[in-house]
Amino acid sequence: MAPESVKSAQRVIEMLRVFARYRTPLSQAELLDATHYPQSSMTALLKTLTANGLLHYNSYTRQYFPTMLVKDLGSWIEDPTPEAAWITRLMTELRAFSGETVALGVQNDTIMMYLRSFESDHIVRYNVRPGEQRALLDTSMGWLLLSRMDPRSVEQIYRRSPLESRQHVGSLEDFLAEMEKVRGQDYCYVANIPPKAGTVSMLLPASFNRAPIVIGVGGFIDRMEGRVDEILAEMRRLITLYRPDEPGEG
């Protein structure tokens, strides 16, 4: 696929994410402010999406809004796993107990992709949205998954990760030593990745597209420090309480 085609596809995705964030009709000027695209590119993109029925243009207000076609295209996709009901209960109770953001994620190549999140009510909180992606090296949930891999696989992902992410975790030797420590635990707690946040994570007896699912509780580091053990104890209790007798796969 030509680079220009890849850029166009990326812009379509970013455009839909802008609408998902604002949840209101937007003018071309507002979309330009949100995306910083060249005006000529924005005009062409809006015309294409409107012509294909993905956007509706109101000529009176001069605003655009996604059509039901956008929703219908993904309506056939079910919840991440057949165990969605018990996972929802677990996340709801863990969010109530901790008061912090609770997220569900899965590995997507070198990336951690978030499947769901129940955000904290705190003004300063750990923000993650479904569909958002971050480098595995940049998340406690990613560290936990990496710790379950052999060193060669970890090295490959480390070398393919962004330079900024590698600088955060240190040298390959140091990171492999960290993975060895996490491998001996049933959880992973990482502080200051991202900065000023702390996240504790555990694996769930569930999968998405046959890939392991991990759950994490994250918040402002000053609130998380000192609470890791009690949050872990509650995570273990809820997983034992709600896990199905025979975990299935999504």
Side-chain angles (χ1 to χ4, degrees), residues 28-103:
Q28 179 168 330
E30 290 169 327
L31 289 166
L32 284 169
D33 285 341
T35 61
H36 306 293
Y37 296 164
Q39 183 161 348
S40 58
S41 299
M42 176 62 75
T43 299
L45 180 60
L46 290 173
K47 284 184 177 179
T48 299
L49 293 177
T50 302
N52 283 276
L54 295 173
L55 292 181
H56 171 262
Y57 176 63
N58 186 323
S59 59
Y60 295 100
T61 63
R62 297 186 178 181
Q63 291 177 316
Y64 295 85
F65 195 70
T67 68
M68 289 301 293
L69 177 58
V70 175
K71 182 177 180 180
D72 290 344
L73 287 173
S75 62
W76 60 275
I77 302 174
E78 298 180 355
D79 243 333
T81 70
E83 306 90 352
W86 78 263
I87 290 177
T88 298
R89 289 196 296 271
L90 187 155
M91 293 180 72
T92 301
E93 292 196 26
L94 195 53
R95 160 54 171 85
F97 174 84
S98 66
E100 304 293 350
T101 297
V102 178

Side-chain angles (χ1 to χ4, degrees), residues 93-239:
E93 292 196 26
L94 195 53
R95 160 54 171 85
F97 174 84
S98 66
E100 304 293 350
T101 297
V102 178
L104 199 69
V106 67
Q107 180 183 355
N108 188 18
D109 194 21
T110 64
I111 299 296
M112 169 59 63
M113 180 174 68
Y114 296 97
L115 299 172
R116 296 193 210 163
S117 67
F118 292 2
E119 291 202 352
S120 167
D121 290 330
H122 290 294
I123 295 175
V124 179
R125 62 180 181 266
Y126 189 48
N127 291 306
V128 291
R129 296 180 181 274
E132 186 176 337
Q133 300 191 114
R134 296 177 184 174
L136 289 172
L137 269 60
D138 292 342
T139 70
S140 163
M141 297 160 74
W143 281 33
L144 184 61
L145 291 173
L146 286 168
S147 73
R148 271 47 184 176
M149 300 179 190
D150 62 86
R152 182 172 179 80
S153 297
V154 175
E155 178 180 351
Q156 290 174 344
I157 290 175
Y158 176 93
R159 296 191 185 283
R160 293 171 58 206
S161 297
L163 176 60
E164 184 179 3
S165 300
R166 284 179 274 149
Q167 289 175 335
H168 283 162
V169 302
S171 68
L172 174 60
E173 292 73 20
D174 289 343
F175 188 63
L176 287 174
E178 287 293 334
M179 291 300 95
E180 191 61 32
K181 294 177 185 177
V182 177
R183 190 172 291 116
Q185 307 168 164
D186 66 342
Y187 72 95
C188 178
Y189 174 69
V190 179
N192 286 314
I193 298 182
K196 298 183 179 180
T199 305
V200 59
S201 56
M202 295 187 74
L203 285 167
L204 289 183
S207 64
F208 176 74
N209 195 25
R210 300 188 178 183
I213 288 178
V214 62
I215 190 170
V217 178
F220 186 46
I221 193 168
D222 286 358
R223 293 194 304 265
M224 290 295 294
E225 292 287 349
R227 293 198 65 201
V228 174
D229 288 343
E230 65 174 291
I231 292 175
L232 275 172
E234 184 67 2
M235 292 173 82
R236 294 186 183 106
R237 186 187 75 82
L238 291 173
I239 291 172

